[in-house]
Amino acid sequence: MTAHEATPAIDENLVLLEMVGRVAVIRLNRPRQMNALNDALMDALGLALLACEQDDGVGAIVITGNDKAFAAGADIAAMRGWDYMDVFKSNYITRNWETLRNVRKPVIAAVAGYALGGGCELAMACDILIAADNAVFGLPELKLAVIPGAGGTQRLPRAISKAKAMDMCMTARNMDADEAERSGLVSRVVAAGRLMDEAMAVAQTIAGFSLPSMMAVKEAINRACESSLSEGMLFERRQLHALFATEDLKEGMNAFLERRAAVFRHR
C-alpha cells in the first residue's frame, strides 16, 4: 500500500494513512503506549478522517491499530493534572473525538487486542466493527473514579442492552470477542491473522457500491437510533426518493436488466 497523494499532510508519527483502491486505511501508531488516545493522536486522526471525507477517491475507511491493541484507552498520564476548567474550556473530547461523527462515508473498525475505555468508544463510533478472536473490549473508567465520556454510556446500551451495559460499566469487567459478537457489540469475529484481510474485503465491497447510496444507508440507520419508528420511516422514504435523482441508480437498474456489472460513477 502506498500513501494517497491527494491527502493533506498529517502527523505520520501518530497515524498512518494509506490507500488500497478506494479504501483508506488509517492506522493508530503509538505502539509503545498501546495506542493510548491523547489529544495529538485524536487531532491527527481527525485530520486523516477529514482528508478521506473530502477525497472523491475514497469510498470506505478502515481504522485499525496493531496486533496487541486497537487502543488501550485514553492517555491517563496526559490527563492526570487537568481540572474542570481545563477540560471545559478546551472542549475536551467534543473538539476532536467528535470528528468521526461528522464523517458521512462508511467507517470500519478492525480491532485486535485491547479496545478499552476510549479505544472501545472509538471502535463503537465506527459503522462496522470487525474483531480478531483475541480482541478484548471494556469500559474500566470507574477504576479511576471517572465515567466513559466519549459515548460509552450512550452507544453501549444501544449496541447491546441496558443490562449488559450496566454490567460492563459498573463492574469494569472486560468482554472477549465471542461475548461481544453474541451481545451484538461487534459485526463479526475472525482469526487474528485474517483480521485485515477480512476488514479490507468488507471495505472493498462497500467501496464498490454507489457512494451516494451508501451514504444514504448510513444516515438512515443512524437516524433509526435517534428517532421514533414513524420519523425514521419517513426519513428512509425520503432518502429512497432522493436516490432516484442520481446517475448511479439508473446505472444500477439498467445494468441489472442488461445482465451486466454496474459501473458506478458515484453521482
Side-chain angles (χ1 to χ4, degrees), residues 45-68:
L45 176 59
L47 285 175
L49 287 168
L50 292 175
C52 295
E53 181 75 355
Q54 295 163 10
D55 189 340
D56 290 339
V58 174
I61 303 165
V62 175
I63 300 177
T64 192
N66 55 51
D67 294 342
K68 294 182 178 179

Side-chain angles (χ1 to χ4, degrees), residues 179-258:
E179 183 181 1
E181 184 179 32
R182 291 196 307 271
S183 301
L185 178 60
V186 307
S187 309
R188 58 185 80 178
V189 176
V190 298
R194 292 185 52 243
L195 175 63
M196 287 307 297
D197 289 340
E198 184 78 7
M200 291 303 296
V202 172
Q204 287 165 349
T205 296
I206 289 172
F209 292 124
S210 166
L211 182 57
S213 300
M214 192 62 64
M215 292 164 68
V217 165
K218 176 172 175 172
E219 289 183 356
I221 293 175
N222 283 335
R223 182 62 63 97
C225 298
E226 300 178 2
S227 64
S228 66
L229 177 60
S230 60
E231 288 298 316
M233 290 293 289
L234 177 60
F235 185 83
E236 176 190 80
R237 202 65 37 79
R238 293 294 180 256
Q239 292 285 70
L240 171 65
H241 293 169
L243 289 172
F244 277 83
T246 66
E247 295 178 12
D248 282 349
L249 181 142
K250 296 176 178 61
E251 165 63 11
M253 291 187 175
N254 288 334
F256 175 80
L257 293 173
E258 296 166 10

Side-chain angles (χ1 to χ4, degrees), residues 71-83:
D75 192 335
I76 304 304
M79 300 164 57
R80 182 172 54 182
W82 294 350
D83 61 21

